[in-house]
Amino acid sequence: MTDRFVLSVLVNNQFGVLTRIAGLFARRGYNIDALTVAETENPAFSRMTVVVGGDDYVLEQIVKQLMKQVDVRSVERLTRKDAIFRELLLVKVGSDPETRQDILALAGLFDARVTDWSEHALTIELTDQPDIITALIDRLRAYPILEICRTGLTAIPRGDTAGAPFALPTEGV
Amino acid sequence: MIVDTLIEEGVEVLFGYPGGAVLPIYDALYERRERITHVLTCHEQGAAHAADGYARAARRPGVVLATSGPGATNLVTGIATAYMDSTPLVALTGNVPLALLGRDSFQEVDIAGVTMPITKYNCIVKSPDMIRAGVRDAFAIARSGRPGPVLVDIPRDIAEAPCGAQCEKFHSPGVPVFSGREADEFARALARARRPVLLVGGGVVADGAGVTAAMLAERLGAPVCATLMGLGALPWDHPLFLGMLGRHGLPEANRAVEACDLLLAVGTRFTERAAEDRRQFAGQAKIFHIDIDPAEINKNIPADAALCGRAGAVMEALLARLPTAPREPWGAAFTPFARRAFPEPGTPRALIHTLWRLRTPGMTVVTDVGQHQMWTAQTYGFSRPGELITSGGLGAMGFGLGAAIGVAMARPGRRVALVTGDASLRMNIAELATAAALRLPISIFVLDNAGLGLVRQLQDEHCGGRRFAVAPGLRTDWVRLAEALGARGLSVDGADGSTPEAVIREALTAEGPCLTHCPVDPACNA
């Protein structure tokens, strides 16, 4: 059964790692729906959050192929239940004096901020779960959407601990 | 610093081709020429295959050195070959000075980008202080776990800059381990099988675990099949050994796999050459899979049970847990490889059989890719791991001659027989000059069927016999070509009244490289 998985991948913060991981997905035929990456609290590492579609076979293969990479430190699967999912949306909506109030009300309903305001357009910013972001976009389709920018998902485990990555037992050579 | 690190890593031989971007490295090699032998090939591809062949024969990393741009891209097929066959290879490339990187400078290529999908790891060294760490990591990664090629790209100014304090290597790879409980369960299920078959792959050869595999087969009473890469793991005359399986395999081996109720596969990834129809492969059997690479488990064939680790270590763990009395083999109906029928006289297989009968002690067989490769795999009786060296995964025509040079360098004083085809040999024939310059004892047997035999066979099978671009009509006087490149040339055509046997005997005692032209019937298929 095809599903979407969220993988949190800790990698060495090194030149070329993003290309290497993205290339791995591409050549093995895995579809990336979204990918975000940035340095972590330890500048030696970066955190990649990858949203990928596939069945259990694909998930197993992706995790194993990722763990084979020299630059990958850990791989963790996050679910909505045990992690906080967030995405940032910037959307520019065409507006005139007649529609402006409606758009502002809609933004208010979603706790979104208006970050830019000009004569014929409003730019709205929202940080939330991906499905809420999609819901706002759907509502805004009633007005002309001029441009959409979404960052893709980033995620962090809930609670006190830093998560439980997949681990393969190994020993030194 | 680069060359000193190579010496530190125990490198005695490296294969390469100089150029502008690696001048500083070659200058350092000149200074250390007493410590480290540089083999100059005619083309970087030959050097890469030679380093690969060296690594397979010596069972330690082979090293290849090439300049930037075209030098580096010429390595690509060699690196991909090593990647597909899990050979520890360290490729060092020069590049333009750091400040010129990314400016499309003369002989600049992003070789790290090019080789990313065909290396286990690669990197660009951007500081002189990182050279030692970069090179040492390359060796550690190449030989650790499932071996593979690693490329280190070194801009020219980094190579010649004075080094400060050197970073230590930071990478310490591990091999997967399994718990005693997992092994207990695996062994118990194994012991319950009534008709087990053992399938040995390249992982058994790479780990030199042939003897352990034979013991395991005897304990289980299991007939043994090998993949192409697994040939030599068990000696040809082992009573349980049935030969190679798969598309070009022996019928006995394939029948055993069809009939078994448990297939214990060690160190193989079930490529479609070995397991062509994934749904019907070993249709009655549970699949028990042992591999050093966890990513191979469930990749091509779903496993009913799996253990990850070195082939030898896992099989020893199983032996310790299995009942000590060897079981009666169930597969008496299968003819062992040792009792295989003698090939029909006059066929290419008969020629290979003759070569096998006349083999010299410690001789290695290297092949290229095509029908001759399959005939060799089907007919030749291998006695030990590493006796056959062939491009299995990538199937790179042109592999043979370079690889033979590497093997000869790794096994000095011992003969290398290269079984090749006319089309394969033509691809990198220039390396015969390299072999001649070094006076290497390489006996080349060109099975000349006047064309691309295996492609022709495929066109007959799949394209309704519409043969196209497979009989190039090239007329090569192989004997004179060999002589022109500084080797001896012989022929088994019988023109001078000598028998093929006498010619092969002579070829196997020649001092330097010797090419024997063996015309074969183009109608023979593999």
Side-chain angles (χ1 to χ4, degrees), chain B residues 16-28:
Chain B
Y17 204 100
V22 285
L23 269 189
I25 305 179
Y26 272 82
D27 202 30

Side-chain angles (χ1 to χ4, degrees), chain A residues 10 37 53-54 73 99 166:
Chain A
L10 193 66
V37 55
R73 316 299 298 199
T99 58
F166 288 99

Side-chain angles (χ1 to χ4, degrees), chain B residues 80-210:
Chain B
T81 306
Y83 184 73
M84 293 294 272
D85 287 347
S86 308
T87 310
L89 179 77
V90 173
L92 304 172
T93 50
N95 213 330
V96 299
L98 210 49
L100 293 180
L101 273 182
R103 292 168 187 262
D104 300 326
S105 312
F106 177 65
Q107 291 195 330
E108 182 196 349
V109 155
D110 171 20
I111 196 63
V114 170
T115 57
M116 204 171 268
I118 53 166
T119 49
K120 201 172 162 187
Y121 191 65
N122 65 20
C123 66
I124 305 172
V125 177
K126 291 198 166 173
S127 141
D129 300 343
M130 290 302 291
I131 287 178
R132 188 158 174 269
V135 173
R136 293 193 64 181
D137 271 357
F139 279 87
I141 294 167
R143 67 161 79 91
S144 72
R146 176 181 187 171
V150 178
L151 181 136
V152 183
D153 193 32
I154 308 165
R156 179 182 166 148
D157 52 337
I158 301 295
E160 58 195 351
C163 309
Q166 285 289 314
C167 292
E168 278 306 302
K169 71 170 184 172
F170 58 90
H171 188 78
S172 55
V175 289
V177 292
F178 48 88
S179 71
R181 194 179 45 78
E182 287 173 286
D184 290 345
E185 249 170 64
F186 195 97
R188 259 200 305 276
L190 206 53
R192 278 199 296 270
R194 300 163 65 102
R195 303 188 307 279
V197 162
L198 176 62
L199 170 61
V200 290
V204 179
V205 170
D207 201 24

Side-chain angles (χ1 to χ4, degrees), chain B residues 235-243 250 252 331-343 353 356 378-379 381:
Chain B
W236 64 276
D237 55 353
H238 194 286
L240 288 169
F241 181 60
L242 303 182
L250 302 186
E252 292 300 293
F334 303 115
T335 313
F337 185 82
R339 285 199 280 117
R340 70 203 184 284
F342 188 87
H353 196 274
W356 171 70
Q378 294 156 352
T379 314

Side-chain angles (χ1 to χ4, degrees), chain B residues 244 248 347-350 352-353 370-380 419-420 447-449 453 457 520-526:
Chain B
M244 182 173 77
H248 294 282
T347 61
R349 286 191 184 88
I352 286 164
H353 196 274
Q371 287 177 325
H372 69 269
Q373 180 189 26
M374 293 302 114
W375 292 324
T376 306
Q378 294 156 352
T379 314
Y380 199 97
V419 181
T420 180
L447 273 56
D448 178 5
N449 56 7
Q457 181 177 338
V520 300
D521 180 1
C524 286
N525 276 343

Side-chain angles (χ1 to χ4, degrees), chain A residues 20 57 60 64 68 169 171, chain B residues 122 175 177 293-294 298-299:
Chain A
R20 197 178 295 276
Y57 169 80
E60 178 185 345
K64 284 175 169 176
K68 256 170 85 160
E171 67 182 11
Chain B
N122 65 20
V175 289
V177 292
D293 180 358
N298 295 334
K299 186 176 93 179

